[in-house]
Amino acid sequence: MSSLTTFVNSLTALEFISRLSIIGKDGKLITLTPTAEQIEIIETLEKDDDTIILKPRQIGSSTIVAAYLFYKAYTSTEPVTYAILSYKLSSSKHLLNIHKTFYNYLPKILQRELDVDNSTELSFVGGGRIIAVASTQKGGLRSFTASAIHISEYAFAENPEELKATAISALNDGQLIIESTANFFNDCLHKEILKKQSGGAHYNYLFFKWSDHHTYTIHNDDEIETTDEEDELSRVHDLSLAQLKWRREKISKLGHEKFVREFPLNLEEAYRISGSTYFTFDDFIDIEKLDVEPVGWTTFEDPDPNDSYAVGVDTSGGVGRDWSVITVVSKLTHQIVCIWRDNRTSPIELSQYIEEAAISYNNALVLVEANNYGLATINELGHNGYGRLWKDPKNGKDFLTTSKSKPLLFENMKKFIQQGYIQILDNITLLELRSLTIDQKGIIKFADNIDSHSDNAMAFALALWCLNDVNVKPRAYLPEWIVSRKGDNIRQKAGAGVSNHRRY
């Protein structure tokens, strides 16, 4: 054992891993020969910092992370624990089998004595152990501390927040390793990467664009006439003609959308994939994004006396959870002209802000979702005397979001977006729209991993629904003296008015 220890300890992680064997795609045993990408992963993991790997294509990240942790456990002379964590135990067991393959195909003389070898654990006498765990297990990781935890395909976990919380509680000062392909825009993986890029998280982040791979070229004498798109890609990403030839050939086989998904050049391309998202990347490609403050008024355009407007309102309880959102949309341009957001305003108080917006924008027609707290807001608006409230033309009822009305509401919004009516969106609404998904039953789902419950998206959809019943030249609903007096009253109660918060 001492000679084995001396020999093993003389090897670097890369030298050790390069001596391991794996089962290839053809079912044959092959030596694990790390690629340039896999070597970069090993070098990054050796820093012992938390690491996120976005694997846009088959680079063998799961295998190389497993190989690194096997090396750590196998060479350890202390009883350390390395955990493979997944939402389902079957997924963790699958990765544990890779570790067992590493061990089983070592030369017999190099095989350390095993302490435990079962379906959920592989441990070495006097050394480290590798365990397969599920976050849903009773007890899970709570009974011990892990030196490192490997989470594979994090973006596809059924409950990623629970998975991450389980890992953090068991790690203490250990290393968290997350590797996954992209699932959909603003999935849990995307959110962690954006945190890293904004300085809100301290991960090592690895992303491998295809242009860094030296074999992705075609060197021949064939002349090609490059397109405008290829010229732009060449300029931005410094692509050679040989790389453009390779790219063109791959696209001819895979199609453009699949190529971008499998071989992205940046994070944005990696998340172009549609997956289960309600909207596609192309739906927003021509829409300008404007950043707004998350709380209070944002005015993009002042009221136009020749225009008419619709107001969509999503109501919350005002207790710091979901957001109440008021969105004003122009009939002439179909653009959002004003937004108000807050999560600490009661449904009754919200009516004052709705009146402020509606009166300012030419006595706009107002649609408040009547579900939950919305009914209280609607009643308060009626009590205050504002009568320009949307009612269903068929039955005279308020709008209730149901399993039947919700698809109609969002399909109406999708129509306006896909037909090119919408040219500008604020960053919050855009994020929420990109994050909408459809489950296997075809039900539209709001994202559960952002700081809202798609409240901006809902208010925008309601405003566009309301807009269908707005005429270009509406008749003033309230006498001018009432409008003026109510406007003054609302400003005193609700604070600064719409016009004092112009965006540009």
Side-chain angles (χ1 to χ4, degrees), residues 41-159:
I41 291 173
I42 294 169
E43 292 173 346
T44 301
L45 295 179
E46 286 186 300
K47 298 175 182 178
D48 291 328
D49 297 323
D50 294 344
T51 300
I52 286 182
I53 304 166
L54 172 57
K55 50 178 186 179
R57 54 190 170 81
Q58 295 297 322
I59 62 171
S61 62
S62 297
T63 299
I64 208 65
V65 171
Y68 177 76
L69 294 183
F70 179 81
Y71 157 76
K72 296 285 287 184
Y74 190 81
T75 58
S76 177
T77 57
E78 299 178 358
V80 293
T81 297
Y82 298 95
I84 305 162
L85 178 62
S86 180
Y87 189 77
K88 294 182 178 179
L89 185 58
S90 58
S91 300
S92 297
K93 286 181 176 180
H94 172 73
L95 286 175
L96 181 62
N97 286 332
I98 296 177
H99 290 263
K100 293 187 176 185
T101 299
F102 294 148
Y103 177 80
N104 291 333
Y105 289 100
L106 283 173
K108 294 297 181 183
I109 193 173
L110 294 181
Q111 288 184 343
R112 290 185 62 172
E113 183 180 356
L114 290 176
D115 184 27
V116 178
D117 181 7
N118 58 37
S119 63
T120 59
E121 182 175 347
L122 181 69
S123 62
F124 307 105
V125 173
R129 66 170 177 160
I130 305 152
I131 62 170
V133 191
S135 63
T136 51
Q137 273 181 270
K138 192 173 182 179
L141 286 169
R142 292 175 175 83
S143 58
F144 56 84
T145 299
S147 295
I149 292 178
H150 175 198
I151 301 178
S152 183
E153 293 299 0
Y154 176 62
F156 296 85
E158 293 182 38
N159 192 334

Side-chain angles (χ1 to χ4, degrees), residues 358-373:
I359 292 172
S360 296
Y361 282 91
N362 303 345
N363 299 310
L365 186 63
V366 176
L367 194 166
V368 181
E369 184 188 25
N371 299 57
N372 302 320
Y373 300 106

Side-chain angles (χ1 to χ4, degrees), residues 13-15 17-20 22 25 30-44 53 55 57-65 67 206 208-209 212-216:
L14 181 58
E15 290 171 337
I17 290 170
S18 298
R19 287 168 166 77
L20 298 176
I22 58 173
K25 293 181 179 180
I30 59 174
T31 300
L32 178 55
T33 304
T35 63
E37 292 95 339
Q38 290 175 326
I39 291 172
E40 185 175 348
I41 291 173
I42 294 169
E43 292 173 346
T44 301
I53 304 166
K55 50 178 186 179
R57 54 190 170 81
Q58 295 297 322
I59 62 171
S61 62
S62 297
T63 299
I64 208 65
V65 171
L206 294 177
F208 301 98
K209 59 182 183 179
D212 287 339
H213 202 296
H214 68 280
T215 63
Y216 291 164

Side-chain angles (χ1 to χ4, degrees), residues 308-341:
S308 52
Y309 300 89
V311 178
V313 183
D314 188 44
T315 309
S316 75
V319 293
R321 296 175 184 172
D322 292 347
W323 293 77
S324 291
V325 181
I326 303 169
T327 299
V328 186
V329 177
S330 160
K331 180 67 175 181
L332 291 177
T333 67
H334 297 86
Q335 308 309 305
I336 296 175
V337 294
C338 181
I339 295 175
W340 178 90
R341 297 181 88 241

